[in-house]
Amino acid sequence: MSDPFGERPFPRGVLIAVAILLGSIILMISIARLTGMSPEQIPAAPAVETRDLRFESQPEEVLAVYDAGSGELIETFEPAEGGFVRGVLRSMGRERMLHQADADAPYQVARRADGAITLEDPETEILIRLRAFGESNEGVFAELLDAAPVSQ
């Protein structure tokens, strides 16, 4: 097989352009970090409905979801269920540890004026727009927002 480039060297202009581009990116990031500049987030639409939820691990890896206001059980996830909910809670729990926040404090699920469902951690002030993870994952939290207490 023959070399398609033969004896031709790589174009010097392309190498210079890539070096300038990378240098510019590094310079812009450095300036942003040193000046404290951060991109502005688009504010969330106003909440039209909210519910404070407390999540509790039960024996045999069952995840129980309680209405924080009434203390009533509204949902349980068996070990093979609620993978997205468990993943989000692990992530939020890590953030609470980093912020040395109360690990047992409730989270707030909200339906926004634009129809979006969000999950907010009042302890760390992190707000997650659940629509970014797909309609079915957002729907799990929408169901928790609307869920009636589980009869025991």
Side-chain angles (χ1 to χ4, degrees):
M1 298 213 154
S2 65
D3 184 5
F5 293 106
E7 296 295 320
R8 293 178 292 174
F10 196 81
R12 184 177 180 154
V14 173
L15 291 174
I16 292 171
V18 169
I20 290 171
L21 177 65
L22 290 175
S24 299
I25 291 170
I26 291 170
L27 178 65
M28 288 186 282
I29 291 171
S30 299
I31 290 170
R33 294 275 181 159
L34 292 173
T35 62
M37 187 178 101
S38 66
E40 295 296 319
Q41 280 193 339
I42 298 171
V48 295
E49 183 181 0
T50 63
R51 188 175 203 178
D52 290 341
L53 300 176
R54 190 172 49 79
F55 298 88
E56 187 178 295
S57 293
Q58 302 286 321
E60 300 180 24
E61 298 184 33
V62 172
L63 178 65
V65 184
Y66 294 91
D67 182 293
S70 68
E72 295 178 305
L73 177 68
I74 60 170
E75 183 69 73
T76 56
F77 293 102
E78 295 299 321
E81 299 174 332
F84 178 68
V85 173
R86 292 172 191 270
V88 168
L89 291 176
R90 273 192 301 274
S91 175
M92 299 286 258
R94 266 193 305 274
E95 286 300 318
R96 281 185 172 184
M97 283 178 31
L98 291 172
H99 287 87
Q100 297 177 343
D102 181 7
D104 296 325
Y107 295 92
Q108 186 177 75
V109 178
R111 180 172 284 112
R112 302 288 170 169
D114 61 1
I117 304 295
T118 59
L119 176 66
E120 184 173 5
D121 183 0
E123 296 291 307
T124 62
E125 299 180 359
I126 293 174
L127 177 84
I128 299 175
R129 291 174 173 87
L130 297 166
R131 188 171 287 167
F133 299 98
E135 288 182 26
S136 62
N137 288 327
E138 180 185 42
V140 173
F141 281 92
E143 290 173 10
L144 294 175
L145 183 62
D146 299 331
V150 174
S151 56
Q152 300 199 14

